[in-house]
Amino acid sequence: MNFTFSDDQLLFRDTVRDLLSNEVTAERIRQRWDSDSGVDSAALQSMVDLGLTAALVPEEQGGLGLNAVDFILIAEECGRAALPEPIVDACLVATPMLVDADSALEGSDSRLRELLEAVASGEKTVLCGPSINPYINFAHSADYLLLPHGNEVHLVAADAVQLELQTSVDLSRRLSKVSWQPRSETCIARGEIGADLWCSTLNRGALANAAQLLGLSEAMVARSVQFASDREQFGRPIGVNQAIKHLLADCAVKAEFAKPAIYRAAYTVAVAPTRADWSVSHAKASAGDAARAASRNCTQVHGAMGYTWECDLHIWMKRAWTLDREWGDAGFHKNRIHEWLLQPKALLGPQYTFGRRHMGDAANSITAA
């Protein structure tokens, strides 16, 4: 059993990290705030050219055929860079939902396959608007939206809905309240299939945010360590003081504890997305805890200027606040863990680390290879 990432996965991660470090600086994020779209078209095209939009599209539709485990490090890097563009939401959440819908319909709806090919090439963008999130980020720039009506899944053209822009504490986010009317021709799944699609999408969304929260946490700690090393008082860096070291060490420990939970959840989502409730909730709760601690402690390390407009730290801090509450807040995910633990036949113990959601469901057991 191998718990490490492969050389190819790490190389893809490093390539994306290099791209984002050049294309998504604090200065260029601030420039996005002043634009109508909030998108840097050149940076977005670079990500398309790198293959991010094709990552989770099946090879038959022109994609790379990767899965959540392959993409989890990419999502982490997008969080580390505080990437404004909704690449993670589109690639790790909406695209797999389209793939699953196409698989459930056994290719009977040619629209989905054609749309997946357009998504892979970066020609079209699809985003999800689940009921758990009141607003959709960057809905104005999407071509299609996946929207719920009960258990039904509707694929709706963005120009067929009404958008009401909302203000976010994070200026990189362009939130919209979506008003629309369900129609029979937009419904692509209903009943049990639709319910499973929304269940797996909730898990993928929470996992995507958990990975980004981890990247945000580590980025805030790295910036604060640098600040504590450069900032001097009484002739020496403030970082030599134990009070500063303890604040940052606590953040680093929480981030390290969140990592295995996130990577394990990615594995579970990759093999059984509708049965990943508790592992995803563990990851989201842990990553949210780490991000909240990093936001609080790193602001303190920056003294009286950590939250100010002039200090770049607030870009990462505000993103962490928003992602912590999206796709279910801490209370929602702790309740899911609580519910799972209280099952009379809950699978507890190391022998079930990677796998089954319900006792007696041997057909869905997962064995790590």
Side-chain angles (χ1 to χ4, degrees), residues 219-346:
M220 285 189 280
V221 171
R223 285 178 171 274
S224 300
V225 168
Q226 188 62 53
F227 178 83
S229 301
D230 296 339
R231 178 81 166 89
E232 293 188 357
Q233 279 186 330
F234 308 111
R236 61 179 189 171
I238 63 172
V240 302
N241 297 304
Q242 287 291 341
I244 299 292
K245 292 178 180 178
H246 286 171
L247 285 175
L248 296 176
D250 287 345
C251 298
V253 168
K254 286 181 179 295
E256 287 300 315
F257 276 22
K259 278 183 184 178
I262 293 170
Y263 299 156
R264 174 205 193 185
Y267 177 87
T268 312
V269 164
V271 297
T274 62
R275 299 177 179 277
D277 297 9
W278 66 273
S279 60
V280 165
S281 288
H282 182 199
K284 181 67 159 51
S286 300
D289 188 30
R292 290 191 300 275
S295 301
R296 180 178 60 251
N297 291 2
C298 292
T299 300
Q300 293 181 19
V301 169
H302 278 72
M305 58 183 290
Y307 65 92
T308 61
W309 190 263
E310 291 77 11
C311 184
D312 291 337
L313 179 69
H314 82 96
I315 297 174
W316 280 258
M317 179 178 67
K318 290 174 180 173
R319 180 68 55 80
W321 288 348
T322 58
L323 295 188
D324 181 42
R325 289 163 176 77
E326 195 178 53
W327 293 103
D329 60 12
F332 173 85
H333 287 288
K334 288 179 179 178
N335 280 338
R336 287 215 306 182
I337 297 172
H338 189 211
E339 179 186 358
W340 180 80
L341 287 173
L342 291 182
Q343 288 184 98
K345 295 181 179 180

Side-chain angles (χ1 to χ4, degrees), residues 56 66-69 71-72 75 87-101 103 128 130 132-133 146 193-212 262 265-277 279-281 283-284 326-328 332-333 336:
L56 274 71
L66 305 181
N67 60 31
V69 176
F71 202 81
I72 198 66
I87 284 290
V88 178
D89 289 339
C91 299
L92 187 54
V93 185
T95 298
M97 190 176 195
L98 282 175
V99 173
D100 287 351
S103 177
C128 281
I132 196 171
N133 297 333
L146 289 161
I193 294 175
D196 283 348
L197 286 173
W198 284 119
C199 176
S200 57
T201 299
L202 169 60
N203 286 330
R204 288 195 182 98
L207 173 65
N209 275 19
Q212 292 179 86
I262 293 170
Y267 177 87
T268 312
V269 164
V271 297
T274 62
R275 299 177 179 277
D277 297 9
S279 60
V280 165
S281 288
K284 181 67 159 51
E326 195 178 53
W327 293 103
F332 173 85
H333 287 288
R336 287 215 306 182

Side-chain angles (χ1 to χ4, degrees), residues 127-129 134-139 145 147 174-178:
L127 294 172
C128 281
Y135 309 124
I136 303 179
N137 190 28
F138 280 98
L145 300 174
L147 299 171
R174 303 299 174 95
L175 302 177
S176 295
K177 179 181 179 181
V178 179

Side-chain angles (χ1 to χ4, degrees), residues 49 70 77 124 141 160 183 191 195 254 315 325:
D49 295 341
D70 300 313
E77 292 306 315
K124 301 290 184 183
S141 65
R183 301 167 61 182
K254 286 181 179 295
I315 297 174
R325 289 163 176 77

